[in-house]
């Protein structure tokens, strides 16, 4: 689940105001009996989880006492995953969810936090809890149970309400004397300065006014490393990412973009460092690919089967095709989970974290970005626009050639994306136009693969005549999409290669 809350700082003299005005018409504020919560937090000796804004805890009295909280890109919003288990034995599933943070380092108790909580629920007329306001008096305990610190804070957690409700509650609390607090989790406050130090994974920091080529390389690599590792726990949970796309898809894209960036920036980074990393990224992208391919095909099957309501397909036959793809997807997801538990993956994560601290650059990386970077795009651009690239395409060219050009187009687009932050409007225009070209080529490839897949699945069951007929009709619909994309491609390519989009290239 996703937890969204806001924190407010108060002193011991603060009196919680009447919150009834914040509830909608007919609603009410319900005070709950006070409870005492004792939470034991688990971390590495150097507090890798806490420094990254994450936590793994056991809280006595909860129905599901073990909880992992993972930060998101939005302050105050975290992923919260709870599981059963005895004290002292974190569930392996939760330990795995924070793999990219602990990276195999031993986990042990680091602090105990006792909270006396007074909670108030803001409800609507139907009794639904829209938000919960809690007044927490927190005591930090050492291993012997002695008090080492105390503090008080208010938390306002969103339930079934909206963010406007959080704003109204915040205004009432501020009027009563509360101060908006930074979103600092309790255990981080309890652990002090060591828990608020910089995380091991260095985040993108933005480019300086006149960046060097090395500045752009470092920023691009940090961005994709952070993106790749952020999707690790969501892949393990098989959770959709922001925007509805699967976490597997997003993690695979991050692998591909990072590999592409290392290839684009090859003259600026040391080969002895980048080559092994590219090989590992290729391995991981391959592991993720089978599950993503099955996911795409299952989604496409539903869309293609329902594309013509006036000519419906046999629903039972469509269901048999989906069952076959679901079996592939389950096997592929099992392979992903096995890979993510491997020593090879753990070593790769360590390498990526080290990479975020600073790629190993060559002397050429010291050159100004605006002078050095355009030349790096020339090679993938010429491969795409050369005689073996786009110019080799025609409406009757084999699918494999169209796919090869699609891959070259993706490499060119990623190269343009990588240099866009430093080169500005011209590169951004070309990147957007190439994205539209890739949409056409991507739809072409997906349709071609789907057509072959439907026929291949039917061939595995030669006695299933209804399946054969349905697969044939699906394949014909996909081939029509292939023909339509081939007809659409020249216009998309013409728009992408207009002079105003390419004149910045040397």
């Amino acid at each position: 689940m996703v937890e969204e809350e806001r924190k407010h700082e108060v002193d011991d003299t603060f009196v919680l105001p009447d919150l009834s005005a914040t509830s909608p018409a007919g609603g009410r504020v319900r005070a709950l009996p006070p409870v005492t919560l004792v939470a034991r937090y688990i971390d590495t000796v150097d507090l890798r989880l806490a420094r990254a804004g994450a936590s793994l805890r056991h809280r006595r009295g909860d129905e599901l006492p073990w909880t992992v909280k993972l930060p998101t890109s939005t302050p105050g919003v975290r992923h919260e995953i709870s599981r059963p288990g005895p004290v002292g034995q974190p569930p392996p599933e939760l330990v795995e969810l924070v793999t990219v943070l602990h990276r195999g380092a031993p986990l042990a108790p680091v602090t105990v936090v006792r909270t006396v909580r007074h909670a108030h629920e803001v409800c609507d007329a139907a009794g639904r809890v829209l938000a919960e306001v809690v007044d927490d008096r927190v005591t930090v305990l050492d291993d012997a149970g002695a008090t080492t610190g105390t503090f008080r804070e208010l938390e306002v957690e969103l339930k079934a309400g909206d963010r406007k409700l959080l704003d109204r509650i915040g205004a009432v609390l501020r009027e009563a004397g509360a101060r908006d607090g930074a979103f600092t989790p309790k255990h981080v406050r309890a652990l002090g300065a060591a828990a608020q130090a910089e995380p091991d994974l260095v985040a993108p920091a933005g480019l300086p006014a006149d960046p060097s080529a090395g500045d752009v390389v470092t920023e691009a690599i940090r961005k994709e490393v952070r993106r790749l590792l952020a999707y690790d726990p969501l892949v393990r949970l098989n959770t959709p990412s922001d925007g509805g796309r699967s976490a597997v898809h997003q993690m695979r894209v991050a692998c591909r973009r990072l590999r592409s960036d290392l290839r684009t920036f090859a003259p600026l980074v040391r080969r002895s460092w980048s080559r092994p990393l590219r090989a590992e990224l290729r391995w991981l992208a391959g592991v993720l690919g089978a599950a993503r391919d099955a996911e795409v095909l299952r989604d496409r099957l539903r869309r293609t089967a329902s594309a013509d309501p006036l000519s419906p397909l046999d629903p039972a036959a469509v269901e048999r095709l989906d069952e076959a793809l679901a079996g592939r997807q389950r096997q592929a997801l099992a392979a992903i989970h096995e890979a993510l538990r491997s020593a090879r993956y753990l070593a790769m994560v360590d390498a990526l974290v080290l990479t975020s601290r600073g790629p190993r650059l060559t002397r050429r990386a010291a050159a100004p970005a605006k002078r050095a970077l355009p030349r790096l795009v020339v090679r993938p651009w010429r491969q795409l626009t050369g005689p073996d690239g786009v110019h080799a395409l025609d409406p009757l060219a084999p699918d494999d050639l169209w796919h090869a050009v699609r891959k070259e187009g993706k490499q060119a687009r990623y190269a343009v994306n990588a240099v866009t932050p430093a080169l500005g409007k011209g590169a951004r225009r070309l990147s957007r136009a190439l994205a539209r070209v890739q949409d056409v080529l991507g739809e072409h490839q997906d349709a071609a693969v789907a057509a072959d897949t439907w026929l291949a699945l039917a061939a595995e069951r030669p006695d299933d005549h209804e399946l054969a007929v349905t697969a044939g009709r699906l394949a014909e619909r996909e081939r029509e999409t292939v023909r339509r994309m081939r007809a659409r491609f020249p216009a998309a390519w013409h728009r992408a290669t207009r002079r105003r989009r390419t004149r910045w290239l040397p």
Side-chain angles (χ1 to χ4, degrees):
M1 61 174 290
V2 176
E3 172 195 68
E4 180 171 355
E5 63 185 22
R6 297 178 185 176
K7 290 182 180 285
H8 301 269
E9 297 177 1
V10 294
D11 56 31
D12 286 339
T13 64
F14 178 83
V15 177
L16 192 69
D18 182 4
L19 299 171
S20 58
T22 66
S23 61
R28 66 189 183 96
V29 175
R30 181 167 56 211
L32 302 181
V35 295
T36 299
L37 308 169
V38 179
R40 183 180 299 272
Y41 288 86
I42 313 297
D43 208 330
T44 63
V45 67
D46 56 352
L47 305 180
R48 295 179 183 182
L49 274 62
R51 288 188 287 114
S55 66
L56 170 58
R57 78 174 186 215
H58 179 278
R59 193 161 73 180
R60 191 177 66 200
D62 285 357
E63 182 180 354
L64 298 174
W66 284 101
T67 298
V68 156
K69 292 190 178 184
L70 300 167
T72 69
S73 58
T74 304
V77 179
R78 294 181 291 179
H79 295 287
E80 181 177 312
I81 307 97
S82 297
R83 296 291 185 268
V87 64
Q89 296 182 23
E93 178 188 357
L94 296 190
V95 174
E96 288 180 3
L97 288 181
V98 289
T99 293
V100 297
L101 302 180
H102 64 66
R103 307 193 308 283
L107 296 171
V110 291
T111 191
V112 177
V113 173
R114 183 177 65 211
T115 302
V116 178
R117 170 165 293 180
H118 293 78
H120 294 75
E121 295 176 337
V122 180
C123 305
D124 63 12
R128 286 189 313 157
V129 180
L130 305 178
E132 185 179 53
V133 181
V134 298
D135 183 355
D136 287 343
R137 296 177 183 268
V138 182
T139 303
V140 184
L141 307 173
D142 64 16
D143 291 339
T147 298
T148 61
T150 61
F151 58 90
R152 183 184 178 192
E153 67 177 16
L154 303 180
E155 289 182 0
V156 184
E157 183 176 350
L158 192 63
K159 299 293 187 179
D162 56 25
R163 291 177 180 174
K164 291 181 180 179
L165 175 60
L166 294 185
D167 294 338
R168 293 200 301 272
I169 294 173
V172 171
L173 294 177
R174 285 190 295 273
E175 187 175 350
R179 304 175 300 278
D180 289 341
F183 187 79
T184 304
K186 288 182 176 63
H187 72 293
V188 173
R189 291 185 66 175
L191 290 164
Q196 299 180 47
E198 291 297 319
D200 291 345
L201 183 65
V202 180
L207 293 175
D210 189 16
S212 68
D215 291 332
V216 177
V217 173
T218 300
E219 185 74 0
I221 288 176
R222 283 176 176 171
K223 178 182 176 182
E224 293 307 326
V225 168
R226 185 179 181 88
R227 180 182 180 186
L228 191 160
L229 297 183
Y231 285 109
D232 171 288
L234 301 184
V235 168
R236 295 174 191 270
L237 290 167
N238 198 26
T239 301
S241 64
D242 294 340
R245 292 188 173 183
S246 74
V248 169
H249 168 71
Q250 298 285 19
M251 194 176 190
R252 185 190 187 196
V253 168
C255 284
R256 287 179 163 182
R257 286 189 175 178
L258 185 51
R259 281 189 69 229
S260 176
D261 287 351
L262 292 172
R263 181 179 176 182
T264 298
F265 296 133
L268 308 179
V269 297
R270 294 183 184 178
R271 188 178 181 185
S272 60
W273 165 77
S274 65
R275 193 171 184 178
L277 186 55
R278 284 183 60 200
E280 293 306 282
L281 289 165
R282 182 177 183 178
W283 162 72
L284 181 59
V287 172
L288 296 166
R292 175 56 182 167
D293 291 345
E295 178 183 72
V296 169
L297 284 167
R298 292 187 74 188
D299 180 65
R300 191 169 193 93
L301 174 62
R302 289 186 287 271
R303 287 191 289 113
T304 304
S306 60
D308 186 357
L310 298 179
S311 182
L313 303 182
D314 182 348
V318 171
E319 184 63 28
R320 290 197 292 278
L321 289 171
D322 185 63
E323 288 173 359
L325 293 172
R328 290 186 185 182
Q329 189 174 17
R330 286 191 294 270
Q331 291 179 352
L333 289 172
I336 290 174
H337 291 298
E338 182 178 353
L340 297 187
R341 296 186 183 110
S342 68
R344 180 178 184 177
Y345 177 71
L346 204 59
M348 178 184 163
V349 171
D350 249 337
L352 290 173
V353 172
L354 288 173
T355 293
S356 75
R357 299 179 188 176
R360 298 181 185 178
L361 305 176
T362 64
R363 292 181 180 179
R364 293 175 63 179
K370 291 184 178 179
R371 188 179 75 203
L373 295 184
R375 293 196 295 268
L376 301 183
V377 184
V378 169
R379 181 178 178 183
W381 181 250
R382 286 179 178 169
Q383 287 179 329
L384 176 62
T385 59
D388 295 328
V390 169
H391 291 298
L393 294 181
D394 66 65
L396 300 179
D399 292 342
D400 287 348
L401 182 56
W402 282 82
H403 181 44
V405 172
R406 173 179 176 257
K407 291 192 291 185
E408 290 172 354
K410 184 174 291 188
Q411 175 61 32
R413 179 192 168 200
Y414 284 168
V416 174
N417 284 348
V419 303
T420 292
L423 301 185
K425 185 182 296 184
R428 190 175 300 111
R429 284 174 174 170
L430 181 56
S431 175
R432 289 172 180 168
L434 286 176
R436 290 190 286 270
V437 170
Q438 283 300 111
D439 288 343
V440 174
L441 292 175
E443 179 68 5
H444 177 284
Q445 174 64 9
D446 288 349
V449 169
D452 291 344
T453 300
W454 311 145
L455 297 176
L457 289 174
E460 293 174 1
R461 302 183 182 184
D463 297 330
D464 191 335
H465 301 298
E466 291 82 3
L467 187 66
V469 171
T470 299
R473 294 177 66 188
L474 284 166
E476 181 52 39
R477 291 180 183 183
E478 301 292 3
R479 294 311 304 181
E480 175 57 33
T481 298
V482 168
R483 291 188 286 272
R484 190 168 65 253
M485 292 303 106
R486 292 188 181 200
R488 188 178 298 175
F489 176 78
W493 180 247
H494 176 72
R495 287 192 295 270
T497 52
R498 286 176 178 169
R499 181 62 181 162
R500 65 191 183 95
R501 295 188 174 97
T502 62
R503 60 185 169 216
W504 59 277
L505 291 168

